[in-house]
Amino acid sequence: MTAPVLLTERLLLRPLGPEDAEAWYAFHADPVTMRHLGGVQSRSVAWRGLCAMAGAWSIRGFSMFAVTLRDTGEWIGRVGPWQPEDWPGTEIGWGLASQFAGRGFAREAATAAINYAVDVLGWTDIIHTIAPDNAESIALAQRLGSTNRGRTTLPPPLEALPVDDWGQSAADWRARRAGRG
């Protein structure tokens, strides 16, 4: 299987690989970054998550992308399609290292990932599972055109985390992208 590489104006999105490990560990050790992503993780737990995301390309045919800056190659986060077993829907999720927040990178990467999910994967619906107190991600979901569809439940061991299903149909995304929404 050949996994895609997506290019945006400032970013390169590619499958996660071993070269991302140290930045991945730092991302998962940062309390600011992990505030709404399940909390700080040890290297061993973060390693298992990295392997799950990388392995999903083989098992599902898609996974979140490593997001890097095109001009420097620096790893800044992970964004993209995600649907583990028993997940509440076809999700485009995002998480950027805290030092890269607020610069429009998440929106740029999420837009490319939604285009990929709709145009290549053929998804008919996009969700974003967001904690009700995560104002930054809620604002991004709204900028992407998603609306709050109400509370949803993640599978174990995440079932106790309160999250809302923000989302939109592929038809709504296409209309917005074409300037009709």
Side-chain angles (χ1 to χ4, degrees):
M1 179 197 80
T2 303
V5 172
L6 308 179
L7 296 175
T8 70
E9 181 181 338
R10 301 178 294 166
L11 306 172
L12 183 142
L13 286 70
R14 59 165 173 73
L16 287 154
E19 67 275 18
D20 302 313
E22 290 304 320
W24 181 271
Y25 300 149
F27 175 94
H28 286 84
D30 179 9
V32 174
T33 299
M34 295 302 293
R35 179 177 70 246
H36 297 292
L37 298 174
V40 169
Q41 296 178 359
S42 66
R43 281 177 71 94
S44 62
V45 171
W47 180 84
R48 289 190 288 279
L50 174 63
C51 290
M53 289 251 178
W57 281 104
S58 294
I59 302 301
R60 290 270 194 228
F62 60 85
S63 184
M64 288 200 189
F65 295 94
V67 180
T68 63
L69 298 175
R70 284 181 69 170
D71 61 350
T72 66
E74 186 174 7
W75 190 94
I76 66 167
R78 61 5 166 230
V79 174
W82 188 236
Q83 190 186 23
E85 198 65 27
D86 297 325
W87 210 249
T90 47
E91 177 159 23
I92 296 297
W94 51 78
L96 294 184
S98 59
Q99 66 268 33
F100 297 100
R103 298 192 217 173
F105 294 133
R107 182 177 186 179
E108 188 174 328
T111 297
I114 294 171
N115 285 336
Y116 175 77
V118 168
D119 298 339
V120 177
L121 299 177
W123 286 7
T124 58
D125 194 67
I126 302 294
I127 70 166
H128 321 291
T129 55
I130 302 174
D133 63 343
N134 186 344
E136 296 90 351
S137 282
I138 289 169
L140 175 54
Q142 290 172 327
R143 284 192 302 277
L144 292 168
S146 293
T147 59
N148 189 338
R149 300 170 173 173
R151 192 58 49 99
T152 192
T153 303
L154 300 176
L158 306 171
E159 71 274 15
L161 295 176
V163 293
D164 291 332
D165 170 358
W166 285 79
Q168 63 186 296
S169 70
D172 287 343
W173 175 257
R174 285 187 190 100
R176 210 176 279 64
R177 184 172 63 185
R180 297 187 309 267

Short mmCIF file of all heavy atoms in Angstrom, two decimals, residues 36-82:
data_model
loop_
_atom_site.label_atom_id
_atom_site.label_comp_id
_atom_site.label_asym_id
_atom_site.label_seq_id
_atom_site.Cartn_x
_atom_site.Cartn_y
_atom_site.Cartn_z
N HIS A 36 -6.68 18.49 26.33
CA HIS A 36 -7.95 17.98 25.83
C HIS A 36 -7.79 16.68 25.05
O HIS A 36 -8.71 16.26 24.37
CB HIS A 36 -8.63 19.03 24.94
CG HIS A 36 -8.98 20.27 25.67
ND1 HIS A 36 -9.95 20.33 26.65
CD2 HIS A 36 -8.48 21.53 25.59
CE1 HIS A 36 -10.03 21.56 27.12
NE2 HIS A 36 -9.15 22.30 26.50
N LEU A 37 -6.63 16.08 25.14
CA LEU A 37 -6.36 14.85 24.38
C LEU A 37 -6.08 13.66 25.29
O LEU A 37 -5.32 12.76 24.94
CB LEU A 37 -5.17 15.08 23.42
CG LEU A 37 -5.38 16.16 22.36
CD1 LEU A 37 -4.09 16.39 21.57
CD2 LEU A 37 -6.52 15.77 21.42
N GLY A 38 -6.70 13.65 26.46
CA GLY A 38 -6.58 12.51 27.35
C GLY A 38 -5.50 12.62 28.41
O GLY A 38 -5.32 11.70 29.20
N GLY A 39 -4.76 13.72 28.44
CA GLY A 39 -3.75 13.91 29.46
C GLY A 39 -2.36 13.47 29.02
O GLY A 39 -2.20 12.77 28.02
N VAL A 40 -1.38 13.89 29.79
CA VAL A 40 0.02 13.59 29.52
C VAL A 40 0.23 12.08 29.48
O VAL A 40 -0.38 11.34 30.26
CB VAL A 40 0.92 14.24 30.59
CG1 VAL A 40 2.34 13.75 30.52
CG2 VAL A 40 0.87 15.76 30.46
N GLN A 41 1.10 11.63 28.58
CA GLN A 41 1.40 10.21 28.45
C GLN A 41 2.89 9.96 28.62
O GLN A 41 3.72 10.77 28.19
CB GLN A 41 0.97 9.70 27.06
CG GLN A 41 -0.50 9.76 26.81
CD GLN A 41 -0.87 9.30 25.41
OE1 GLN A 41 -0.02 8.94 24.60
NE2 GLN A 41 -2.15 9.30 25.12
N SER A 42 3.21 8.82 29.20
CA SER A 42 4.60 8.40 29.29
C SER A 42 5.09 8.02 27.89
O SER A 42 4.30 7.83 26.96
CB SER A 42 4.71 7.18 30.21
OG SER A 42 4.05 6.07 29.60
N ARG A 43 6.40 7.90 27.75
CA ARG A 43 6.97 7.49 26.46
C ARG A 43 6.41 6.15 26.01
O ARG A 43 6.10 5.97 24.83
CB ARG A 43 8.50 7.42 26.54
CG ARG A 43 9.18 8.75 26.45
CD ARG A 43 10.69 8.60 26.61
NE ARG A 43 11.33 7.98 25.47
CZ ARG A 43 11.88 8.65 24.46
NH1 ARG A 43 11.86 9.98 24.45
NH2 ARG A 43 12.47 8.02 23.47
N SER A 44 6.26 5.21 26.94
CA SER A 44 5.80 3.88 26.55
C SER A 44 4.35 3.91 26.06
O SER A 44 4.01 3.24 25.08
CB SER A 44 5.97 2.87 27.69
OG SER A 44 5.20 3.25 28.81
N VAL A 45 3.51 4.70 26.71
CA VAL A 45 2.12 4.81 26.25
C VAL A 45 2.07 5.58 24.93
O VAL A 45 1.35 5.18 24.00
CB VAL A 45 1.24 5.49 27.34
CG1 VAL A 45 -0.14 5.81 26.80
CG2 VAL A 45 1.14 4.60 28.57
N ALA A 46 2.85 6.65 24.82
CA ALA A 46 2.89 7.41 23.58
C ALA A 46 3.41 6.54 22.43
O ALA A 46 2.91 6.63 21.30
CB ALA A 46 3.76 8.66 23.74
N TRP A 47 4.39 5.67 22.70
CA TRP A 47 4.91 4.77 21.67
C TRP A 47 3.80 3.87 21.14
O TRP A 47 3.67 3.69 19.93
CB TRP A 47 6.05 3.93 22.25
CG TRP A 47 6.64 2.96 21.26
CD1 TRP A 47 7.60 3.23 20.33
CD2 TRP A 47 6.28 1.59 21.09
NE1 TRP A 47 7.86 2.09 19.60
CE2 TRP A 47 7.07 1.07 20.05
CE3 TRP A 47 5.37 0.75 21.72
CZ2 TRP A 47 6.98 -0.24 19.62
CZ3 TRP A 47 5.28 -0.57 21.30
CH2 TRP A 47 6.08 -1.05 20.25
N ARG A 48 2.98 3.32 22.03
CA ARG A 48 1.88 2.47 21.59
C ARG A 48 0.90 3.25 20.72
O ARG A 48 0.39 2.74 19.72
CB ARG A 48 1.20 1.82 22.79
CG ARG A 48 2.08 0.75 23.43
CD ARG A 48 1.33 -0.09 24.46
NE ARG A 48 1.03 0.59 25.70
CZ ARG A 48 1.89 0.77 26.70
NH1 ARG A 48 3.12 0.31 26.60
NH2 ARG A 48 1.52 1.37 27.80
N GLY A 49 0.64 4.51 21.08
CA GLY A 49 -0.23 5.34 20.26
C GLY A 49 0.36 5.63 18.89
O GLY A 49 -0.35 5.61 17.88
N LEU A 50 1.65 5.89 18.85
CA LEU A 50 2.34 6.12 17.57
C LEU A 50 2.22 4.88 16.69
O LEU A 50 1.90 4.98 15.50
CB LEU A 50 3.81 6.48 17.82
CG LEU A 50 4.71 6.61 16.59
CD1 LEU A 50 4.26 7.74 15.69
CD2 LEU A 50 6.15 6.80 17.03
N CYS A 51 2.44 3.72 17.28
CA CYS A 51 2.35 2.47 16.51
C CYS A 51 0.92 2.22 16.04
O CYS A 51 0.70 1.75 14.91
CB CYS A 51 2.85 1.30 17.34
SG CYS A 51 4.63 1.34 17.61
N ALA A 52 -0.08 2.55 16.86
CA ALA A 52 -1.47 2.39 16.45
C ALA A 52 -1.80 3.29 15.27
O ALA A 52 -2.43 2.85 14.29
CB ALA A 52 -2.41 2.67 17.62
N MET A 53 -1.37 4.55 15.34
CA MET A 53 -1.64 5.47 14.23
C MET A 53 -0.91 5.04 12.97
O MET A 53 -1.50 5.02 11.88
CB MET A 53 -1.22 6.90 14.59
CG MET A 53 -2.10 7.54 15.61
SD MET A 53 -3.09 8.83 14.89
CE MET A 53 -4.04 9.32 16.31
N ALA A 54 0.36 4.67 13.10
CA ALA A 54 1.13 4.24 11.92
C ALA A 54 0.54 2.94 11.36
O ALA A 54 0.41 2.78 10.14
CB ALA A 54 2.60 4.06 12.28
N GLY A 55 0.16 2.02 12.23
CA GLY A 55 -0.38 0.74 11.79
C GLY A 55 -1.76 0.84 11.17
O GLY A 55 -2.15 -0.01 10.36
N ALA A 56 -2.51 1.87 11.51
CA ALA A 56 -3.86 2.04 10.95
C ALA A 56 -3.81 2.20 9.44
O ALA A 56 -4.77 1.84 8.74
CB ALA A 56 -4.58 3.22 11.60
N TRP A 57 -2.70 2.70 8.90
CA TRP A 57 -2.57 2.79 7.44
C TRP A 57 -2.69 1.41 6.81
O TRP A 57 -3.33 1.25 5.77
CB TRP A 57 -1.25 3.45 7.05
CG TRP A 57 -1.29 4.94 7.19
CD1 TRP A 57 -0.71 5.68 8.18
CD2 TRP A 57 -1.96 5.87 6.33
NE1 TRP A 57 -0.99 7.03 7.99
CE2 TRP A 57 -1.76 7.16 6.85
CE3 TRP A 57 -2.72 5.73 5.17
CZ2 TRP A 57 -2.27 8.30 6.26
CZ3 TRP A 57 -3.23 6.87 4.57
CH2 TRP A 57 -3.00 8.13 5.12
N SER A 58 -2.09 0.40 7.44
CA SER A 58 -2.17 -0.97 6.91
C SER A 58 -3.52 -1.61 7.19
O SER A 58 -4.07 -2.30 6.34
CB SER A 58 -1.08 -1.84 7.53
OG SER A 58 0.18 -1.39 7.13
N ILE A 59 -4.07 -1.38 8.36
CA ILE A 59 -5.31 -2.05 8.77
C ILE A 59 -6.54 -1.38 8.17
O ILE A 59 -7.43 -2.04 7.64
CB ILE A 59 -5.43 -2.04 10.31
CG1 ILE A 59 -4.22 -2.73 10.95
CG2 ILE A 59 -6.73 -2.69 10.76
CD1 ILE A 59 -4.00 -4.17 10.54
N ARG A 60 -6.62 -0.05 8.23
CA ARG A 60 -7.80 0.68 7.76
C ARG A 60 -7.61 1.30 6.37
O ARG A 60 -8.58 1.65 5.72
CB ARG A 60 -8.14 1.81 8.73
CG ARG A 60 -8.67 1.38 10.07
CD ARG A 60 -10.17 1.28 10.01
NE ARG A 60 -10.71 1.18 11.36
CZ ARG A 60 -11.60 0.27 11.71
NH1 ARG A 60 -12.06 -0.58 10.83
NH2 ARG A 60 -12.04 0.23 12.93
N GLY A 61 -6.37 1.53 6.00
CA GLY A 61 -6.11 2.21 4.73
C GLY A 61 -6.06 3.72 4.87
O GLY A 61 -5.94 4.44 3.88
N PHE A 62 -6.14 4.20 6.11
CA PHE A 62 -6.03 5.63 6.40
C PHE A 62 -5.65 5.79 7.86
O PHE A 62 -5.81 4.88 8.67
CB PHE A 62 -7.34 6.38 6.11
CG PHE A 62 -8.52 5.90 6.90
CD1 PHE A 62 -8.77 6.37 8.18
CD2 PHE A 62 -9.39 4.95 6.36
CE1 PHE A 62 -9.86 5.92 8.91
CE2 PHE A 62 -10.48 4.49 7.08
CZ PHE A 62 -10.72 4.99 8.37
N SER A 63 -5.16 6.96 8.18
CA SER A 63 -4.83 7.31 9.56
C SER A 63 -4.49 8.79 9.59
O SER A 63 -4.41 9.44 8.54
CB SER A 63 -3.65 6.50 10.08
OG SER A 63 -3.39 6.78 11.44
N MET A 64 -4.26 9.29 10.78
CA MET A 64 -3.81 10.67 10.88
C MET A 64 -2.45 10.81 10.23
O MET A 64 -1.67 9.87 10.19
CB MET A 64 -3.76 11.12 12.34
CG MET A 64 -5.13 11.32 12.92
SD MET A 64 -5.05 12.37 14.37
CE MET A 64 -6.72 12.20 14.95
N PHE A 65 -2.21 12.00 9.72
CA PHE A 65 -0.95 12.33 9.07
C PHE A 65 -0.02 13.01 10.06
O PHE A 65 -0.47 13.75 10.93
CB PHE A 65 -1.19 13.33 7.92
CG PHE A 65 -2.01 12.80 6.78
CD1 PHE A 65 -3.38 13.01 6.74
CD2 PHE A 65 -1.40 12.12 5.74
CE1 PHE A 65 -4.13 12.56 5.67
CE2 PHE A 65 -2.14 11.66 4.67
CZ PHE A 65 -3.51 11.87 4.63
N ALA A 66 1.27 12.80 9.88
CA ALA A 66 2.26 13.65 10.52
C ALA A 66 2.20 14.98 9.78
O ALA A 66 2.17 15.01 8.54
CB ALA A 66 3.66 13.06 10.40
N VAL A 67 2.16 16.08 10.51
CA VAL A 67 2.12 17.40 9.89
C VAL A 67 3.48 18.05 10.11
O VAL A 67 3.94 18.18 11.25
CB VAL A 67 0.99 18.27 10.50
CG1 VAL A 67 0.97 19.65 9.85
CG2 VAL A 67 -0.36 17.59 10.38
N THR A 68 4.11 18.42 9.01
CA THR A 68 5.42 19.06 9.08
C THR A 68 5.39 20.38 8.31
O THR A 68 4.59 20.55 7.39
CB THR A 68 6.54 18.16 8.52
OG1 THR A 68 6.29 17.92 7.13
CG2 THR A 68 6.61 16.83 9.27
N LEU A 69 6.26 21.29 8.71
CA LEU A 69 6.41 22.55 7.99
C LEU A 69 7.16 22.29 6.69
O LEU A 69 8.21 21.63 6.71
CB LEU A 69 7.15 23.57 8.84
CG LEU A 69 6.49 23.97 10.16
CD1 LEU A 69 7.40 24.90 10.95
CD2 LEU A 69 5.14 24.62 9.89
N ARG A 70 6.64 22.78 5.60
CA ARG A 70 7.28 22.55 4.30
C ARG A 70 8.66 23.18 4.23
O ARG A 70 9.58 22.61 3.64
CB ARG A 70 6.42 23.10 3.16
CG ARG A 70 5.24 22.21 2.85
CD ARG A 70 4.42 22.73 1.72
NE ARG A 70 5.15 22.64 0.46
CZ ARG A 70 4.60 22.85 -0.73
NH1 ARG A 70 3.32 23.17 -0.82
NH2 ARG A 70 5.31 22.76 -1.81
N ASP A 71 8.83 24.35 4.84
CA ASP A 71 10.11 25.05 4.68
C ASP A 71 11.23 24.49 5.55
O ASP A 71 12.39 24.59 5.18
CB ASP A 71 9.94 26.56 4.90
CG ASP A 71 9.44 26.93 6.29
OD1 ASP A 71 9.01 26.03 7.06
OD2 ASP A 71 9.45 28.13 6.61
N THR A 72 10.89 23.85 6.69
CA THR A 72 11.93 23.34 7.58
C THR A 72 11.87 21.84 7.80
O THR A 72 12.83 21.25 8.28
CB THR A 72 11.85 24.01 8.96
OG1 THR A 72 10.62 23.60 9.59
CG2 THR A 72 11.94 25.52 8.86
N GLY A 73 10.72 21.21 7.51
CA GLY A 73 10.54 19.79 7.80
C GLY A 73 10.21 19.49 9.24
O GLY A 73 10.07 18.33 9.63
N GLU A 74 10.07 20.55 10.06
CA GLU A 74 9.81 20.36 11.49
C GLU A 74 8.42 19.75 11.70
O GLU A 74 7.44 20.19 11.13
CB GLU A 74 9.91 21.70 12.21
CG GLU A 74 9.80 21.59 13.71
CD GLU A 74 10.04 22.92 14.40
OE1 GLU A 74 10.18 23.96 13.72
OE2 GLU A 74 10.09 22.92 15.64
N TRP A 75 8.36 18.72 12.57
CA TRP A 75 7.11 18.06 12.92
C TRP A 75 6.33 18.97 13.86
O TRP A 75 6.87 19.41 14.88
CB TRP A 75 7.42 16.73 13.61
CG TRP A 75 6.26 15.82 13.84
CD1 TRP A 75 5.85 14.82 13.01
CD2 TRP A 75 5.38 15.79 14.97
NE1 TRP A 75 4.76 14.17 13.55
CE2 TRP A 75 4.45 14.75 14.75
CE3 TRP A 75 5.27 16.53 16.14
CZ2 TRP A 75 3.45 14.43 15.66
CZ3 TRP A 75 4.26 16.21 17.04
CH2 TRP A 75 3.37 15.18 16.79
N ILE A 76 5.06 19.25 13.54
CA ILE A 76 4.29 20.16 14.39
C ILE A 76 3.03 19.53 14.96
O ILE A 76 2.37 20.12 15.80
CB ILE A 76 3.93 21.47 13.65
CG1 ILE A 76 2.97 21.23 12.49
CG2 ILE A 76 5.21 22.17 13.17
CD1 ILE A 76 2.37 22.52 11.94
N GLY A 77 2.67 18.32 14.52
CA GLY A 77 1.48 17.68 15.07
C GLY A 77 0.97 16.56 14.20
O GLY A 77 1.66 16.10 13.28
N ARG A 78 -0.26 16.14 14.51
CA ARG A 78 -0.91 15.11 13.72
C ARG A 78 -2.36 15.50 13.47
O ARG A 78 -3.05 16.01 14.35
CB ARG A 78 -0.77 13.73 14.32
CG ARG A 78 -1.25 13.27 15.63
CD ARG A 78 -2.00 13.93 16.56
NE ARG A 78 -2.66 13.36 17.66
CZ ARG A 78 -3.93 13.61 17.91
NH1 ARG A 78 -4.66 14.30 17.08
NH2 ARG A 78 -4.48 13.20 18.99
N VAL A 79 -2.78 15.31 12.22
CA VAL A 79 -4.11 15.72 11.78
C VAL A 79 -4.58 14.71 10.75
O VAL A 79 -3.79 14.26 9.92
CB VAL A 79 -4.08 17.13 11.14
CG1 VAL A 79 -5.44 17.50 10.55
CG2 VAL A 79 -3.64 18.20 12.16
N GLY A 80 -5.87 14.38 10.80
CA GLY A 80 -6.38 13.56 9.72
C GLY A 80 -7.46 12.58 10.09
O GLY A 80 -8.04 12.65 11.17
N PRO A 81 -7.70 11.64 9.16
CA PRO A 81 -8.78 10.67 9.34
C PRO A 81 -8.45 9.66 10.44
O PRO A 81 -7.33 9.18 10.53
CB PRO A 81 -8.89 10.01 7.97
CG PRO A 81 -7.60 10.25 7.27
CD PRO A 81 -7.01 11.48 7.88
N TRP A 82 -9.48 9.36 11.22
CA TRP A 82 -9.28 8.47 12.36
C TRP A 82 -10.60 7.77 12.65
O TRP A 82 -11.63 8.42 12.81
CB TRP A 82 -8.81 9.28 13.57
CG TRP A 82 -8.39 8.46 14.74
CD1 TRP A 82 -8.90 8.54 16.02
CD2 TRP A 82 -7.37 7.45 14.80
NE1 TRP A 82 -8.25 7.65 16.84
CE2 TRP A 82 -7.31 6.96 16.11
CE3 TRP A 82 -6.52 6.90 13.84
CZ2 TRP A 82 -6.42 5.96 16.51
CZ3 TRP A 82 -5.64 5.90 14.23
CH2 TRP A 82 -5.59 5.45 15.55
#
